[in-house]
């Protein structure tokens, strides 16, 4: 078994990196005014979160939570749609040879097209609205979920399928009670990859296709020379991505308890 | 009960063809316990899979209770060489998978499940997952989930092959006791001569690939049997006879390989 590192050791590398950053700015290793110092970022971030919205008339005072909510809602919706489409489709492709022949080649052909390349198409079709963002996020998250679900289904132990049939299971029962639980670990791998891509996609989409959210703030702040806000946004996205990934890992741990037992047994 | 007539089985993978079974004829009477003994790769699992309905013969027919077999059915319980339990289900849920799937009422199968779990000596482990059990315990669950459906026919493919000698003996005695109570028609695959003689009414010895049934030997030892039966003179005579058959067969197989 792995031993857990005591908490202080976990903080050593981040502390060193922040120190390096601080001194790089403080001792002018980088051109002055190009990169904000850690302290400056922290101050701006604080104002962005807790500042008053009415008094200062700045877009970077007290608007943080709104933007976090915009982005998170888009990620959640896009990712949810992707999962709702990709899991059943992956089960079908993995299970039916016909479905695999008909659907899989198309998915494999479309998959290499980066979601950034879909941007003009999305804006042309959906306009500068939420639908554009949801389309890009959903599409990006769709691929890893469908591919991993298919893979999980195909990996189902033949012996378990035979056992289920011998115990009286028909197609529906085999799918719901054997193939699905057996593919669940792979499905969760797909979901984790998918949520990562969803956060990438939401930033790209908000930079260009909509006028709100963290991606929009990031690009806008860059244009008006607020690098401190850019960095604060980067940290925010990183934090949100990390939290959503942890949530999926916890859900997986809860639903796949039988598997952690296996790993220790 | 089980009628196997002129069964051939050929596996084809591209250009390569493997004849696994050739001209198998075997009849198992109702309530008879037949053991199939043969070297590794002679097609024992292939034969059992066809009776189970997992696979179809290339030629010939397999009938159970007068009906041609097309698909697996709960009337023919299979115990696999590996336990093949559902790892995401607890012992109890594994055992009641069959009755639940067949739409029986929980009230009717709960009591039976508890009773069978007690019979196989796993009381107290109802809520454990397969990963928390020993190999022998898993194998017992594999038997229990089949027994709860009270199948007329039991098909067992080296069910104790992966167990140590001590656990295996325990499992053999358990199976003897269960069979003496329920009297199913059993087709039991093994490559352990003593196991075959101890358990079966009749031992069929198969030849090396392509497998066919070389000879079948009646085991006329009194029942109920136990592990003590293996020390009787009758048992020894039978073991000698089976051993001779197998030795003859392996010599023939070796000579054929030389010639080829
Ligand atoms: N799906 C398959 N495709 C191709 N060949 C197969 C297949 N299944 C079995 N065979 C071949 O058929 C022969 C018989 O296999 P089978 O599994 O029935 O042997 P067995 O008697 O059960 O052996 P063991 O005692 O080792 O389990 C083997 O030579 C094997 O290579
Ligand atoms: Mg075998």
């Amino acid at each position: 078994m792995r031993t857990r590192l005591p908490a202080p050791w976990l903080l050593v590398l981040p502390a060193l990196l922040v120190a390096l950053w601080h001194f790089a700015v403080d001792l002018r290793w980088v051109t002055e005014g190009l990169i904000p110092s850690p302290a400056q970022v922290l101050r701006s971030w604080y104002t962005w979160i807790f500042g008053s919205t009415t008094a200062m008339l700045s877009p970077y005072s007290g608007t943080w939570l709104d933007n976090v909510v915009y982005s998170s809602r888009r990620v959640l919706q896009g990712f949810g749609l992707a999962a709702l489409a990709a899991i059943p489709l992956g089960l079908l492709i993995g299970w039916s040879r016909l479905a695999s022949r008909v659907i899989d080649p198309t998915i494999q052909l479309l998959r290499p097209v980066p979601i950034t390349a879909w941007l003009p198409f999305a804006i042309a079709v959906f306009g500068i609205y939420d639908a554009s963002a949801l389309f890009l996020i959903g599409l990006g998250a769709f691929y890893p979920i469908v591919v991993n679900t298919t893979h999980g289904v195909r990996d189902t132990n033949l012996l378990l399928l035979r056992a289920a049939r011998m115990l009286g299971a028909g197609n529906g029962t085999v799918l719901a009670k054997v193939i699905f639980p057996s593919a669940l670990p792979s499905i969760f791998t797909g979901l984790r990859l998918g949520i990562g891509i969803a956060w990438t996609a939401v930033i790209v989409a908000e930079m260009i296709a909509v006028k709100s959210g963290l991606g929009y703030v990031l690009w806008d702040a860059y244009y008006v020379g607020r690098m401190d806000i850019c960095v604060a946004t980067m940290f925010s996205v990183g934090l949100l991505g990390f939290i959503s990934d942890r949530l999926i890992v916890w859900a997986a741990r809860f639903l796949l308890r039988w598997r952690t037992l296996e790993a220790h047994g | 009960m089980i009628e196997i007539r002129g069964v051939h089985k050929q596996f084809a993978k591209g250009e390569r063809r493997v004849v696994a079974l050739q001209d198998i004829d075997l009849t198992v009477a109702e309530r008879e316990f037949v053991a199939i003994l043969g070297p590794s790769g002679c097609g024992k699992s292939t034969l059992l899979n066809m009776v189970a309905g997992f696979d179809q013969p290339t030629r010939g027919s397999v009938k159970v209770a007068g009906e041609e077999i097309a698909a697996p059915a709960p009337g023919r319980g299979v115990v696999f060489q590996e336990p093949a339990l559902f790892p995401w289900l607890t012992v109890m849920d594994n055992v009641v998978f069959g009755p639940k799937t067949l739409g029986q009422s929980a009230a009717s199968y709960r009591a039976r499940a508890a009773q069978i779990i007690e019979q196989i000596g796993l009381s107290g482990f109802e809520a454990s997952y397969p990963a928390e059990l020993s190999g022998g315990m898993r194998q017992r669950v594999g038997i229990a989930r089949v027994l709860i459906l009270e199948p007329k026919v039991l098909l067992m493919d080296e069910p104790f092959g992966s167990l140590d000698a001590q656990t295996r003996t325990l499992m053999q005695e358990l199976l003897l006791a269960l069979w003496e109570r329920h009297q199913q028609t059993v087709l039991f695959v093994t490559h352990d001569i003593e196991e075959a003689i101890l358990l079966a009414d009749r031992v069929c010895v198969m030849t090396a690939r392509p497998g066919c049934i070389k000879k079948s030997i009646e085991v006329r030892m009194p029942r109920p049997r136990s592990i003590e039966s293996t020390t009787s003179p009758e048992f020894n005579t039978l073991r000698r006879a089976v051993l001779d058959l197998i030795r003859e067969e392996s010599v023939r197989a070796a000579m054929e390989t030389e010639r080829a």
Side-chain angles (χ1 to χ4, degrees):
Chain A
M1 250 200 75
R2 274 177 308 151
T3 48
R4 236 169 209 285
L5 282 172
W9 288 107
L10 293 176
L11 298 174
V12 169
L13 190 59
L16 276 174
L17 287 173
V18 171
L20 184 70
W21 172 17
H22 171 80
F23 287 114
V25 175
D26 202 43
L27 303 175
R28 314 242 164 104
W29 295 344
V30 290
T31 318
E32 216 184 331
L34 209 61
I35 292 179
S37 72
Q40 206 179 330
V41 168
L42 221 54
R43 270 196 303 277
S44 308
W45 200 358
Y46 185 88
T47 314
W48 189 20
I49 299 174
F50 299 108
S52 132
T53 39
T54 44
M56 296 181 70
L57 276 180
S58 155
Y60 307 122
S61 174
T63 58
W64 181 79
L65 191 64
D66 285 349
N67 286 301
V68 164
V69 169
Y70 280 131
S71 296
S72 303
R73 188 180 45 75
R74 285 182 188 123
V75 163
L76 232 59
Q77 286 177 340
F79 176 75
L81 286 173
L84 278 180
I87 294 173
L89 199 64
L91 289 173
L92 185 68
I93 294 171
W95 196 38
S96 144
R97 193 166 293 174
L98 181 68
S100 162
R101 292 239 174 93
V102 173
I103 306 170
D104 205 34
T106 310
I107 292 182
Q108 298 310 327
L109 269 173
L110 288 175
R111 198 156 65 100
V113 180
I115 44 155
T116 41
W118 282 96
L119 256 170
F121 174 86
I123 295 172
V125 173
F126 300 107
I128 311 273
Y129 298 110
D130 251 15
S132 276
L134 294 190
F135 171 76
L136 291 171
I137 297 162
L139 190 69
F142 173 81
Y143 294 124
I145 303 175
V146 77
V147 167
N148 280 281
T149 305
T150 304
H151 176 77
V153 171
R154 289 190 180 144
D155 252 13
T156 307
N157 186 348
L158 175 67
L159 228 44
L160 295 186
L161 296 176
R162 285 183 167 174
R165 298 264 179 210
M166 168 276 289
L167 293 169
N171 286 345
T173 311
V174 166
L175 194 60
K177 297 286 173 63
V178 183
I179 292 179
F180 181 72
S182 162
L184 207 52
S186 289
I187 293 175
F188 270 109
T189 304
L191 291 176
R192 282 188 74 183
L193 292 168
I195 198 82
I197 294 184
W199 279 106
T200 310
V202 78
I203 296 306
V204 172
E206 286 171 348
M207 277 176 166
I208 295 163
V210 283
K211 298 250 164 281
S212 61
L214 292 171
Y216 176 73
V217 171
L218 184 70
W219 204 232
D220 212 44
Y222 172 73
Y223 261 116
V224 299
R226 288 293 302 271
M227 196 50 94
D228 49 343
I229 292 296
C230 286
V231 176
T233 310
M234 286 163 67
F235 277 114
S236 306
V237 175
L239 206 63
L240 290 169
F242 178 77
I243 290 169
S244 46
D245 183 63
R246 283 295 100 183
L247 288 176
I248 293 179
V249 170
W250 279 331
R253 260 203 215 134
F254 178 72
L255 288 172
L256 303 175
R257 269 161 304 169
W258 56 273
R259 219 156 163 263
T260 46
L261 292 172
E262 251 175 9
H264 292 272
Chain B
M1 190 71 177
I2 304 175
E3 288 174 86
I4 301 169
R5 290 278 162 272
V7 162
H8 281 249
K9 180 69 188 180
Q10 190 180 52
F11 291 104
K13 216 175 229 163
E15 285 295 290
R16 278 185 44 236
R17 276 159 207 286
V18 179
V19 180
L21 292 174
Q22 205 169 43
D23 258 324
I24 300 278
D25 280 296
L26 175 67
T27 307
V28 183
E30 195 158 354
R31 297 171 192 285
E32 191 181 16
F33 195 128
V34 170
I36 295 185
L37 197 61
S40 184
C42 74
K44 305 182 296 294
S45 297
T46 306
L47 183 64
L48 208 71
N49 282 343
M50 288 189 292
V51 181
F54 300 139
D55 211 348
Q56 257 67 50
T58 316
R59 205 143 25 93
S61 85
V62 181
K63 288 183 184 171
V64 170
E67 283 192 45
E68 198 76 35
I69 287 167
R76 274 168 281 128
V78 182
V79 179
F80 300 90
Q81 181 159 4
E82 297 151 55
L85 303 179
F86 302 112
W88 48 84
L89 297 182
T90 60
V91 166
M92 178 56 92
D93 288 335
N94 265 289
V95 170
V96 301
F97 185 95
K100 220 175 182 172
T101 301
L102 295 175
Q104 299 177 5
S105 75
S108 81
Y109 63 67
R110 280 281 154 191
R112 247 184 318 143
Q115 192 194 344
I116 286 178
I117 288 173
E118 203 201 314
Q119 276 179 25
I120 59 164
L122 283 181
S123 302
F125 288 94
E126 290 87 350
S128 302
Y129 287 92
E132 299 172 288
L133 305 180
S134 75
M137 291 157 101
R138 284 179 213 166
Q139 203 53 264
R140 280 180 266 170
V141 178
I143 295 173
R145 72 165 171 195
V146 165
L147 288 180
I148 195 170
L149 292 174
E150 293 168 357
K152 286 270 168 58
V153 176
L154 255 185
L155 307 169
M156 307 180 96
D157 190 356
E158 300 185 39
F160 313 137
S162 57
L163 305 179
D164 63 273
Q166 225 172 327
T167 315
R168 181 192 289 227
T169 304
L170 279 173
M171 299 292 294
Q172 288 165 347
E173 294 207 299
L174 177 73
L175 180 61
L176 274 174
L178 286 169
W179 183 78
E180 265 143 23
R181 195 162 337 148
H182 298 283
Q183 299 265 311
Q184 302 95 336
T185 307
V186 183
L187 200 54
F188 187 101
V189 164
T190 178
H191 50 223
D192 180 333
I193 298 173
E194 303 199 352
E195 182 172 76
I197 300 172
L198 170 65
L199 298 173
D201 298 319
R202 191 148 57 92
V203 178
C204 296
V205 179
M206 281 181 77
T207 63
R209 204 183 48 165
C212 62
I213 290 169
K214 187 183 169 75
K215 201 172 172 194
S216 103
I217 298 173
E218 299 279 336
V219 181
R220 291 209 181 78
M221 289 201 307
R223 292 195 188 262
R225 297 179 196 162
S226 73
I227 206 68
E228 272 77 52
S229 312
T230 56
T231 54
S232 73
E234 284 167 287
F235 188 93
N236 264 316
T237 319
L238 281 163
R239 178 169 51 192
R240 187 40 63 67
V242 174
L243 250 174
D244 284 346
L245 264 178
I246 287 176
R247 194 163 300 143
E248 218 174 275
E249 181 50 35
S250 43
V251 169
R252 192 186 63 85
M255 273 167 57
E256 268 181 14
T257 344
E258 245 168 64
R259 242 184 293 149

